[in-house]
Amino acid sequence: MKLLLTFSEMSSYAASNYGRELEFSAVSPDTLKVSFAKKVILTKVRLSVDLRVERVEPALVCLSYSGNTGVEMIISGAVKMLLKSEPKLAEAIIPGKDNKISVDLARFKKLKPALEKIELKSITVKDEGVEISAGLK
């Protein structure tokens, strides 16, 4: 089975749930660009980060991120803050070296019932969105 999350759906979700205006675009089949505006002194600066799908296993997703040094430091700090403020996430979101993050989907209680029946096969960045492919066990 395949699920397509369109870039416009993801942008709308980020805006309505987190108050963030994010823009998404495809870089390659394994890389997604996320852009956002950041107010710096009196002007807005557009920043972006590339998220690359490094590896996909039935219940594990390994990602890497790259951008300029400032953006990489912001993401690294934000992940550390998130994991400190939400200890339960620390079991599922594992920061690695060289701007890598692993997400163990089986550690999310709400996903456990679904992961008993399906397994993740791939995540592919398309021109219109992100396609998630899974199969029945």
Side-chain angles (χ1 to χ4, degrees), residues 14 18-19 29 31 42 60 72 81 93 104 113 122-125:
Y18 303 107
T31 305
L42 298 174
L60 180 76
E72 290 176 1
M81 263 182 33
I93 300 173
D104 185 349
S122 67
I123 298 174
T124 308
V125 181

Side-chain angles (χ1 to χ4, degrees), residues 6 9 21 31 42 45 50 52 60 66 72 90 98 100 108-110 113-114 128 132 134 136:
T6 66
E9 288 173 315
E21 292 184 24
T31 305
L42 298 174
V45 176
D50 289 349
R52 181 171 188 235
L60 180 76
S66 62
E72 290 176 1
D98 301 322
K100 294 186 189 308
F108 290 97
K109 287 181 183 177
K110 290 184 178 183
E128 65 278 5
I132 300 169
L136 295 173

Side-chain angles (χ1 to χ4, degrees), residues 29-61:
D30 65 359
T31 305
L32 170 71
K33 181 178 291 299
V34 182
S35 302
F36 55 97
K38 180 81 175 157
K39 190 170 185 176
V40 179
I41 305 173
L42 298 174
T43 185
K44 280 189 176 181
V45 176
R46 194 116 195 106
L47 301 173
S48 66
V49 62
D50 289 349
L51 297 174
R52 181 171 188 235
V53 179
E54 297 284 338
R55 188 172 86 237
V56 174
E57 294 179 11
L60 180 76
V61 178

Side-chain angles (χ1 to χ4, degrees), residues 69-88:
T69 304
V71 171
E72 290 176 1
M73 287 174 51
I74 290 169
I75 292 172
S76 176
V79 169
K80 287 177 187 174
M81 263 182 33
L82 174 67
L83 298 180
K84 272 189 175 179
S85 67
E86 297 290 336
K88 289 181 181 179

Side-chain angles (χ1 to χ4, degrees), residues 3 53 55-63 88-94 101-116 118-123 132-134 137:
L3 171 68
V53 179
R55 188 172 86 237
V56 174
E57 294 179 11
L60 180 76
V61 178
C62 299
L63 306 168
K88 289 181 181 179
L89 290 179
E91 297 173 4
I93 300 173
I94 305 117
I101 298 174
S102 297
V103 182
D104 185 349
L105 301 173
R107 300 282 183 148
F108 290 97
K109 287 181 183 177
K110 290 184 178 183
L111 289 178
K112 276 188 177 185
L115 292 172
E116 290 173 1
I118 63 168
E119 59 186 12
L120 194 57
K121 294 196 179 274
S122 67
I123 298 174
I132 300 169
S133 178
K137 287 186 174 180

